[in-house]
Amino acid sequence: MKRRVVITGMGVVSPVGSTVNKFWDGLIHGKSGISPIDTFDVSEYATQIAGIVRDFEPEMYMERKDVRRFDRFAQFAVGASLQALEDSGLKIDRNNEERVGVYIGSGIGGIQTLLENYRVLLQRGPKRVSPFLVPMMIANIAAGEVSILTGAKGPNSAPVSACATGTHALGDAAKIIERGAADVMIAGGAEAAIVDISLAGFSTAKALSTRNDEPQRASRPFDRDRDGFVMAEGAGVVVLEELGHAQARGARIVAEVLGYGMSADAYHVTSPDPEGNGAFQAMRVALQDAGIRPEQVNYINAHGTSTELGDRFESLAIKRLFGAHAYHLAVSSTKSMTGHMLGAAGGVEAIAVAMALQEGILPPTINLDNPDPECDLDYVPNHARKCDITIGMSNSFGFGGHNAVLILRRFDLNA
């Protein structure tokens, strides 16, 4: 019999709040976390807005010396991980340390550190580059630092799959538990890429919204007037646990991980498959893994980035897979409020699904004023909705054609 995997703890760092409670309260009240960029000079940039984390205090989670030697993305990962561990009530000690693992990825890693040190190299020479550059920069360091700080000695890795990273991390970690290689996994994604080189790259690729005069209205998935996504930063981490292990220690169970699917578009570096084939396949595989029928899904937290092609093709894939039921389930994009957190998005959005299952409230898609005629599903426009749901899906699709889908169920011991 397949080992059941449940979520027993959650932690969030986000532009709409840097605890789970603040994050969830922001979502259900339709709060936008998008604001003008004031961390560097953006006067020459076409895009001048982003989802910046404003309320995170790294000293709450680590020593000051560690703050100085951690890139911002790793600080976020540590903060979200320690929140999740505290929420779970799990204590890591010599009795269980080899059965607790860490699986936290990042799409871009420590680009702020790389950029700062490259400037030092050019201006002051190679001898002034920080000896901490490499361990601060590499994308796997968040998983490494979390294991060092917590003492988790089990399976440890860090997926890098662009915007699908967080969902890949959760799904892969759940499979590690399912096959018996660990009892607990601390899993998720972290990102802190709002720096000039990233902004310039996305901006010149025409991927970003330029609605600079209305930042809180800029991220508008499925809306006819959308003009690109809004970059954001943060982290989302959960504690995944084998059901029996969680029950034995009396843990509070938030939700169950029911299914996981992934695929490749094999089409284009940045554009999604025009038939939505990759998204369709990843969702189909997740349903098969969960052992459920399409009509049992009540809610989808869409990838929904606010790009013309992405929103349209995701909607097409949902309609292909779910048929008539596509018009009876709710679909919303929390990126309308958080912006696109890149490699952190999947972890954060899985937490949004878990909260929706637990609280019976669907987070809205804000700024959906004039729906794209080709995006004709129920996107929970502008206001949260009370709804008793049992099964939710979370979609993440990344550059390179990487697709990852997670299915969560409201916990039922007898299910």
Side-chain angles (χ1 to χ4, degrees):
M1 181 180 293
K2 186 167 78 170
R3 282 162 49 105
R4 294 172 67 180
V5 181
V6 295
I7 297 173
T8 57
M10 303 184 293
V12 170
V13 176
S14 86
V16 297
S18 291
T19 66
V20 171
N21 288 339
K22 288 181 180 178
F23 165 71
W24 181 244
D25 185 69
L27 292 190
I28 63 174
H29 287 96
K31 174 185 175 183
S32 172
I34 311 306
S35 60
I37 296 172
D38 55 9
T39 50
F40 57 94
D41 182 8
V42 293
S43 58
E44 296 186 14
Y45 292 75
T47 294
Q48 302 176 359
I49 56 176
I52 299 173
V53 173
R54 303 286 186 181
D55 63 343
F56 178 72
E57 299 179 17
E59 291 84 0
M60 291 178 58
Y61 304 101
M62 62 196 82
E63 299 292 333
R64 185 166 296 179
K65 63 179 177 61
D66 290 332
V67 174
R68 290 195 299 269
R69 67 178 184 85
F70 285 13
D71 186 89
R72 186 170 169 86
F73 95 98
Q75 294 177 14
F76 289 163
V78 168
S81 296
L82 294 183
Q83 284 181 35
L85 274 175
E86 182 178 8
D87 187 41
S88 75
L90 178 73
K91 304 299 180 185
I92 301 174
D93 55 30
R94 291 183 179 180
N95 295 316
N96 65 4
E97 59 187 14
E98 294 182 357
R99 299 291 296 172
V100 180
V102 181
Y103 214 101
I104 297 174
S106 177
I108 296 176
I111 193 167
Q112 182 176 6
T113 297
L114 175 62
L115 186 62
E116 289 172 354
N117 278 270
Y118 185 62
R119 287 172 175 154
V120 169
L121 173 67
L122 295 180
Q123 296 167 10
R124 303 170 64 189
K127 293 183 179 179
R128 303 309 295 267
V129 169
S130 171
F132 296 109
L133 166 62
V134 173
M136 289 176 71
M137 176 193 72
I138 51 181
N140 66 300
I141 201 62
E145 295 288 11
V146 169
S147 70
I148 292 167
L149 290 173
T150 63
K153 295 183 178 180
N156 190 293
S157 193
V160 178
S161 49
C163 310
T165 296
T167 301
H168 276 137
L170 267 66
D172 292 347
K175 290 301 177 185
I176 288 172
I177 295 173
E178 190 178 296
R179 68 173 182 258
D183 295 320
V184 180
M185 293 293 293
I186 303 165
E191 205 78 86
I194 303 173
V195 296
D196 52 9
I197 189 69
S198 304
L199 184 69
F202 281 124
S203 187
T204 55
K206 309 294 186 185
L208 300 179
S209 171
T210 57
R211 195 184 286 255
N212 299 317
D213 56 339
E214 293 183 300
Q216 296 189 342
R217 294 176 56 77
S219 184
R220 41 196 322 110
F222 311 110
D223 188 85
R224 183 186 60 201
D225 301 320
R226 65 198 184 278
D227 69 329
F229 76 85
V230 180
M231 282 182 68
E233 61 181 2
V237 176
V238 302
V239 173
L240 299 175
E241 196 163 349
E242 189 274 324
L243 174 59
H245 187 276
Q247 290 174 319
R249 66 180 189 87
R252 175 184 66 98
I253 295 174
V254 179
E256 181 172 5
V257 178
L258 202 60
Y260 171 50
M262 54 181 174
S263 71
D265 281 3
Y267 174 74
H268 189 271
V269 174
T270 57
S271 295
D273 183 291
E275 301 297 325
N277 288 321
F280 172 87
Q281 181 183 348
M283 289 188 288
R284 180 179 59 80
V285 171
L287 287 173
Q288 290 176 343
D289 187 50
I292 60 172
R293 302 181 307 279
E295 58 267 26
Q296 290 178 267
V297 176
N298 312 120
Y299 169 62
I300 299 175
N301 189 294
H303 185 56
T305 59
S306 189
T307 62
E308 180 180 357
L309 296 181
D311 293 354
R312 192 172 294 172
F313 297 155
E314 182 175 10
S315 297
L316 174 64
I318 291 170
K319 287 184 279 190
R320 282 184 59 200
L321 180 63
F322 288 92
H325 182 62
Y327 294 93
H328 299 285
L329 55 78
V331 181
S332 72
S333 173
T334 47
K335 289 185 181 73
S336 62
M337 294 169 279
T338 65
H340 190 352
M341 299 167 71
L342 308 177
V348 171
E349 289 161 11
I351 291 171
V353 174
M355 291 298 295
L357 292 167
Q358 190 174 64
E359 301 294 324
I361 303 175
L362 302 178
T365 304
I366 67 169
N367 301 321
L368 185 50
D369 302 323
N370 300 295
D372 181 334
E374 295 190 48
C375 299
D376 58 349
L377 302 176
D378 174 9
Y379 302 108
V380 195
N382 297 312
H383 301 286
R385 180 189 305 163
K386 290 186 177 180
C387 186
D388 184 29
I389 61 173
T390 56
I391 296 178
M393 174 181 282
S394 183
N395 288 346
S396 297
F397 311 133
F399 280 3
H402 300 284
N403 307 302
V405 174
L406 201 66
I407 297 177
L408 303 182
R409 176 170 60 188
R410 188 170 63 197
F411 179 67
D412 179 355
L413 179 61
N414 298 315

